[in-house]
Amino acid sequence: MGKPLPVMTDRTWLILGASSPIARAFARLVAGQGARLILAGRDLDDLNRSAADLRLRGASAVVVESFDAEDMASLDALAASIPHHASPGGLDIFLAFGLMPDQKAMEADPALALRCLTASFTGAARLLLALAPMLEAGRAGRVIVLGSVAGDRGRFSNYIYGSAKAGLATFCSGLRARLFRSGVTLTFAKPGFLDTGMTWGLPGIFYAESPDRAAATLLRAALKGKEVLYVPGFWALIMLIIRLVPEKIFKKLSI
């Protein structure tokens, strides 16, 4: 079970991509600790229903904001609105949005591939850069960014989405060093298969972690200041093996 979670009535958690299953689970978790929540996503009706539920679960306040990860003006507008909603205690961020179309569909349609790269990397990077000054001013925040094991190596079956997550990992490494100087931590998570709509029905799924378990793991890791983690942990060994396969062999594999 671990130690009890701390009271978070002085914190504001900005949940980006708040309609995803893991974001919902994470929001429920911090709501139970009394945190103030900003739910951001595309489906306002869905977010408003979630907001009502989270208030009943103990959130000190919940506000809803819309944004589109592929629309840079939308991202800038969201970033500009956050200071009006955050509590004096400071801002924390849980970033859980991205787009993973079918690899073959993206190969056949470069515009679709660009949408994947924009939503999964460019949009996330732009928003985090816009929010960085506010995080630095707070001098005590925690940032959790949802990456993927797909970013550890370009695979034949998923290299476009994987490249977006690889770029995001490198970006977050540098941003972590920047925020460290202001007392802000950044935890970059590399989930394997999560039991979400994004992975439902995909071939080769051998174990899908529940959103509730993954959310709890991520929150506890962030509270400890952990920088990078695989979820579940056994993916660290799997990806080590994959990274060690020589390129001349790896390029022949269909994984």
Side-chain angles (χ1 to χ4, degrees), residues 35-51:
R36 182 182 182 92
L37 297 175
I38 305 171
L39 305 181
R42 288 187 298 182
D43 188 340
L44 285 178
D45 289 339
D46 177 75
L47 294 180
N48 281 314
R49 288 191 295 270
S50 292

Side-chain angles (χ1 to χ4, degrees), residues 150-160 162-163 166 247 250 255:
D152 275 16
R153 190 164 188 180
R155 295 183 292 113
F156 172 81
S157 63
N158 202 18
Y159 63 86
I160 298 174
S163 67
E247 192 69 17
F250 194 76
I255 61 174

